[in-house]
Amino acid sequence: MCLGTLDQLAPLAKGIICLYGSPPSELSIENAQALKKCFGATHLFIEIHHHLDQGVQYRTEKLIHLGQACQIPLVASNDVYHATAKEKQLLDVLHCIRKRKTLDQAGRELFPNAEHRLKSGKEMRSLFANYPKALRN
C-alpha cells in the first residue's frame, strides 16, 4: 500500500532503484511512464517473479508486455516475504493478527504456498531460465 504520491516521492527519488510489478491490478502503461519519469530510465525495472501458482504465466506475460511497451528492462526477483519455507506459517499468523481473523477465516488471502521465500541463485536460474537478461539485471 502506498501512503504517498509520486509528487511527494520525486524530490527524494534520485539514486533509488524502483521495482514495478505488484499488484497486477495496478499495472498500466500510464503508471509505468509516471514511475519512469520519477525515477529515470536507468533506475526503473519491471519485476518478474515465479511462485509456482496458477496466475504466474498470465502475470509474467503482462509484465513482459508492459516492459516492452514502455522500454523498461525486466529484473527477476522473488517478491520475498520470508527467508525460509518454514517461516510461511509465521507470515500467515501475522497476517491474521493484522486482519483480526483466524487462519480458517483468512483462507485465500494467504499465499497458497511457501514460494515467497528467499531462493538460491541456482533456484532462481532454474525458474527464470527463459529470462537470462532479467537474471543479470
Side-chain angles (χ1 to χ4, degrees):
M1 176 191 302
C2 183
L3 300 176
T5 66
L6 281 180
D7 290 336
Q8 293 169 320
L9 183 60
L12 309 170
K14 185 177 182 179
I16 295 176
I17 293 175
C18 177
L19 303 181
Y20 180 51
S22 252
S25 61
E26 295 178 11
L27 297 176
S28 72
I29 290 175
E30 295 78 19
N31 287 346
Q33 295 292 14
L35 288 169
K36 193 173 183 179
K37 182 178 177 186
C38 181
F39 290 95
T42 60
H43 286 75
L44 176 63
F45 294 86
I46 300 291
E47 176 186 24
I48 58 173
H49 30 83
H50 197 310
H51 299 121
L52 307 176
D53 60 0
Q54 288 182 324
V56 70
Q57 188 63 35
Y58 170 77
R59 241 185 354 260
T60 301
E61 288 173 11
K62 188 173 181 178
L63 290 164
I64 290 169
H65 174 72
L66 181 64
Q68 290 170 341
C70 298
Q71 297 180 347
I72 300 171
L74 301 176
V75 65
S77 82
N78 201 45
D79 195 27
V80 174
Y81 282 77
H82 47 95
T84 66
K86 290 193 296 189
E87 291 174 352
K88 192 222 184 254
Q89 291 176 318
L90 175 60
L91 181 68
D92 290 349
V93 169
L94 292 173
H95 173 84
C96 290
I97 291 169
R98 184 170 38 109
K99 296 289 187 170
R100 297 181 181 194
K101 293 182 177 185
T102 66
L103 287 166
D104 288 337
Q105 291 169 330
R108 295 180 60 112
E109 292 177 23
L110 305 175
F111 290 130
N113 57 40
E115 294 299 313
H116 281 266
R117 63 181 168 74
L118 195 59
K119 293 183 179 158
S120 70
K122 182 178 178 181
E123 288 173 294
M124 293 295 284
R125 285 188 296 279
S126 175
L127 288 171
F128 296 100
N130 294 332
Y131 310 100
K133 192 169 183 182
L135 281 166
R136 285 191 300 272
N137 288 338

